[in-house]
Amino acid sequence: MSELSKAKHNRIKIALAGTPNVGKSVIFNNLTGGRAWVGNWPGTTVEKKVGKMRIDRQDAEVIDLPGIYSLTAYSLDELIARNAIIEEKPDVVVNILNASNIERSLYLTISLLEMGANVVVALNMIDIARERGYEIDVRKLRELLGVPVVPTIAIKGVGIDELKEEIKKACRGRKTPELIINYGDEVEREIEKIISVLEKDPALIKKYNKRWLAIKLLEKDEDVIERVRKSQVASMILKQVEKSIKTLEEALGRDIEEYIAEKRYEYAFRISNECVKVVREVPQTPSDIIDFAITHKVFGIPIILSILYMAFKFAFDVATPLVDLIDWFFAAFLYDIVKSSTLPEVVKSFLADGVITGIGSILVFLPNIVFLFIFISLLEDLGYMARAAFIIDKIMHRWGLTGKSIIPLIIGIGCNVPAIIATRAIEDENDRNVTALVNPLVSCSARLPVYLVIAAAFFVAYRGVVVLSMYLLGMLLAIMMALLLRKCVFRGPSTGFIMELPPYMTPLPKNVLIKTWERTKRFLFKAGTVILLATVLVWALSVTGPSGYIGTEALEDPTLLEKSWVGVIGKTMQPLFYPMGWDWRAIAALFFGFMAKEIVVSTMAVLYGAAGEEELPKMLSMAFTPLSAYAYMAFVLIYVPCLATLAALRGELGLKYAILALIYEILLAYLVALAIICIGIPLGLK
Amino acid sequence: MPLSFAPEGHLVRVVCIRAGRGLSRRLIEMGIAPGKVLRVVRTLGAGPVIIEVCGDKSKSVSDRCNLCCTSCGNRIVIGFGTAMKILVEEVARRE
Ligand SMILES: Nc1nc2c(ncn2[C@@H]2O[C@H](COP(=O)(O)OP(=O)(O)OP(=O)(O)O)[C@@H](O)[C@H]2O)c(=O)[nH]1
Ligand SMILES: [Mg+2]
């Protein structure tokens, strides 16, 4: 079978399998030099990721997979992993175990061995096992499993070379002996019977291990049943299976599927008991003490909010000089060079009033955005995500969601696109759909420049509070909208969630930097493509109009600008926003902002003819009142997901739900902005 | 009583799991089967719980756990919906 797949793809395939959060992605990066996303919570990887590794002067394909506990999938990401192992039949499966949690890791190892996979075991996180006072007898483990076992500390690169050696050896075709667990006489007898029927289809048992097939059929594995259905003796096989299940369930007096799972777990427990010794007693760890505060019933949420607020405030204060520097570079230095050059007037305006003003108005906030990215990366690596799922569950289940939904919502603060994909790790289908649909309401980094510009114009003294209020508003609306969707569209009880709680870890500077850089790169790429194009478009539509070319003076003269295409767009839409009292230029900015929300700022910068983070707020303070500006911020937060987010929603949920998201967001944005005005005016706010 | 109502710091034994096929199976695969002893590390009172799996039916507490499981450290968060489906009985008070 391994010869066959090699001939087909002419390339060796190595899959990484293991329980969630054991360090598969770190090992993948070590083996391939790749940059798979690494984070300290179960469910970081939700997609297959392929890399390359040299084996005997040949390129081998290494596949990083989402975490799984067994070969029976329970959520979408697990299905991806399961299919990669069962269908694609990798030549070698590197099974990564958590040394500090062997018994739970071994369940999968046993399942893989039963299947007859060519397994190499990496015993990862031995540093944590030692910290907890465990000593693991590697030789014994090797003996009991009958496969190579390599102890590793992936984050330090310990044991990686040995692992590579073992993988190479396994690639050269050493077949692992299949593991046989005795499930008890009665079950074994039925397994025999099923096998004898299976043997009537040689094609089937050539493809899969027959004992494994028989066990899986007893376990009522739907996917395996489907496969067997294609056989020409399907009816015979299935009849025998049905009979066996009936006999066994009567004899055992319980569900056969659970019985088999329990037996397998018992076996794992026995192996772990034989290989793991407690050599040292470990009293309460610092992790326990931190957990006591973070997971506190009453103080858990306030504690984390105040930590975040202080961190934010600190970072923004630190960022200020950097922001000023970038501001000077674009608004003064570059702008003046172009303006005082001898280029033709149109080109000068295009470069200075269009490109430099537009792009500069976004890039000034690069330091703030980078700090935001650092925070999210730190939260991911510390191990906070699973704790957040715990404390928020108490609130979320009342709203018809599960605590696990908070993880994609937190990731959304960086960018909604990966966050929507991350919902795959949520088990319940309704929960997953709802979490993806409300995700665009979470304030992503693209909206930060809008808040910062407006806060600088109106709320200098309360800048931190005002910006934070937008984030909270986004979260609140997301949760409320989720309730509504759960009650109206995706009905039915939630099955809840189960998730291992990873230990707190000190974030590795390297990993935090890589992740921050990857996110920043995406932002810079966007600035250089979509935002740049939009800015050019806005400039072009500002200097031309229904009457033809107006001239670059339009950008300095508002009455002239009204006659441009942008003026037409803004003026046409203005009556819609009559109650909010927004300037038509701000409304035109909303029009262009559907491509990416940063474009709201760059468009305003071009239209108000103001570059940088000092000029623009000054112009805005004339065009808005504080109240209408706050309503505008809320509107930008909520209205339409950006194009990339819509595409992600379409990919995960289909076109229908992407359109649903688009429509509900526009309506919600309008309602919220209106509500802010309607509540604000009677309160005497302006 | 449902696991959701079990008091913090107590040891409980799983009596039965009243859940659909997929969920019961997943719980067993993670070591939460009828007969197992769990330590309730944290509860929010009629909400989600954090537990540690301490041992099997033969012994009240596993060989591996010293200090009555504080050093086990392999904790699992169980959301409210799931915690209501796991029925447990109290085993002993800690200390
Ligand atoms: N102390 C220690 N930490 C490790 C080790 N290996 C990985 N980690 C950390 O464990 C966490 C999880 O690592 P990942 O590689 O993302 O785990 P994964 O198995 O890919 O997880 P999923 O994709 O969620 O299934 C990260 O915070 C790593 O830094 C190790 O050997 N020792
Ligand atoms: Mg991963």
Side-chain angles (χ1 to χ4, degrees), chain A residues 228-295:
Chain A
V228 167
R229 233 183 261 286
K230 291 190 195 103
S231 153
Q232 68 269 30
V233 289
S235 60
M236 246 166 97
I237 300 174
L238 294 179
K239 206 180 278 167
Q240 175 59 47
V241 171
E242 208 174 298
K243 215 168 82 193
S244 298
I245 290 178
K246 196 151 167 275
T247 321
L248 286 173
E249 290 195 341
E250 258 164 35
L252 299 166
R254 54 179 306 198
D255 197 87
I256 179 71
E257 182 189 358
E258 287 172 16
Y259 172 85
I260 291 179
E262 245 180 86
K263 277 278 172 201
R264 217 177 265 146
Y265 197 91
E266 242 167 57
Y267 194 81
F269 183 69
R270 267 213 309 276
I271 297 183
S272 107
N273 254 357
E274 279 190 54
C275 303
V276 184
K277 276 198 300 284
V278 178
V279 289
R280 190 162 51 87
E281 288 196 344
V282 181
Q284 253 203 346
T285 57
S287 174
D288 292 335
I289 296 158
I290 300 172
D291 256 351
F292 184 79
I294 290 286
T295 62

Side-chain angles (χ1 to χ4, degrees), chain A residues 100 219 295 393-394 499 501, chain B residues 25 42 45 74-75 77 80:
Chain A
S100 67
E219 283 184 90
T295 62
D393 187 65
K394 173 112 185 170
M499 188 183 215
L501 196 66
Chain B
R25 190 192 161 99
R42 200 94 168 111
N74 290 315
R75 295 177 179 174
V77 183
F80 175 75

Side-chain angles (χ1 to χ4, degrees), chain A residues 80-358:
Chain A
I80 294 170
R82 174 204 149 106
N83 287 347
I85 294 169
I86 295 182
E87 251 162 53
E88 294 184 23
K89 294 194 179 282
D91 302 273
V92 178
V93 177
V94 180
N95 179 204
I96 298 145
L97 308 192
N98 182 346
S100 67
N101 195 356
I102 288 204
E103 122 192 7
R104 207 169 290 140
S105 310
L106 275 174
Y107 188 95
L108 178 66
T109 314
I110 292 169
S111 309
L112 288 169
L113 290 174
E114 266 190 320
M115 191 185 130
N118 189 7
V119 176
V120 173
V121 167
L123 191 57
N124 196 31
M125 297 202 171
I126 43 173
D127 53 332
I128 295 187
R130 268 187 214 134
E131 229 170 75
R132 297 222 183 126
Y134 299 157
E135 192 67 62
I136 294 147
D137 188 342
V138 177
R139 203 196 282 150
K140 183 102 195 201
L141 191 60
R142 202 175 289 155
E143 213 171 88
L144 289 173
L145 294 174
V147 294
V149 177
V150 185
T152 59
I153 304 175
I155 44 166
K156 294 195 185 119
V158 176
I160 297 298
D161 289 334
E162 291 86 336
L163 182 62
K164 277 185 188 164
E165 262 330 295
E166 288 299 342
I167 294 174
K168 280 177 197 169
K169 267 192 234 159
C171 283
R172 290 185 201 121
R174 197 154 50 79
K175 199 84 202 80
T176 16
E178 67 188 77
L179 175 98
I180 302 208
I181 302 178
N182 192 326
Y183 288 102
D185 293 342
E186 286 146 326
V187 181
E188 289 300 328
R189 217 174 304 133
E190 298 303 324
I191 291 177
E192 278 307 316
K193 279 191 205 156
I194 297 175
I195 288 178
S196 66
V197 186
L198 283 172
E199 274 165 349
K200 297 205 166 76
D201 184 351
L204 194 66
I205 54 170
K206 189 160 172 250
K207 201 153 165 226
Y208 306 102
N209 177 308
K210 55 189 175 187
R211 184 178 159 85
W212 179 73
L213 266 186
I215 296 173
K216 276 286 153 195
L217 286 169
L218 277 182
E219 283 184 90
K220 305 167 194 163
D221 186 306
E222 273 148 34
D223 189 58
V224 169
I225 293 175
E226 270 320 300
R227 269 157 229 261
V228 167
R229 233 183 261 286
K230 291 190 195 103
S231 153
Q232 68 269 30
V233 289
S235 60
M236 246 166 97
I237 300 174
L238 294 179
K239 206 180 278 167
Q240 175 59 47
V241 171
E242 208 174 298
K243 215 168 82 193
S244 298
I245 290 178
K246 196 151 167 275
T247 321
L248 286 173
E249 290 195 341
E250 258 164 35
L252 299 166
R254 54 179 306 198
D255 197 87
I256 179 71
E257 182 189 358
E258 287 172 16
Y259 172 85
I260 291 179
E262 245 180 86
K263 277 278 172 201
R264 217 177 265 146
Y265 197 91
E266 242 167 57
Y267 194 81
F269 183 69
R270 267 213 309 276
I271 297 183
S272 107
N273 254 357
E274 279 190 54
C275 303
V276 184
K277 276 198 300 284
V278 178
V279 289
R280 190 162 51 87
E281 288 196 344
V282 181
Q284 253 203 346
T285 57
S287 174
D288 292 335
I289 296 158
I290 300 172
D291 256 351
F292 184 79
I294 290 286
T295 62
H296 193 277
K297 203 183 295 188
V298 183
F299 301 117
I301 296 176
I303 284 177
I304 194 71
L305 280 182
S306 40
I307 292 175
L308 282 183
Y309 175 73
M310 282 188 297
F312 244 72
K313 190 144 172 49
F314 170 75
F316 282 3
D317 289 345
V318 174
T320 308
L322 290 170
V323 170
D324 290 343
L325 189 70
I326 303 177
D327 190 28
W328 169 82
F329 177 75
F330 280 103
F333 184 68
L334 269 187
Y335 189 87
D336 288 349
I337 287 185
V338 173
K339 277 287 178 183
S340 58
S341 69
T342 54
L343 294 163
E345 201 54 43
V346 187
V347 180
K348 270 205 275 193
S349 170
F350 171 75
L351 287 176
D353 302 327
V355 176
I356 295 174
T357 303

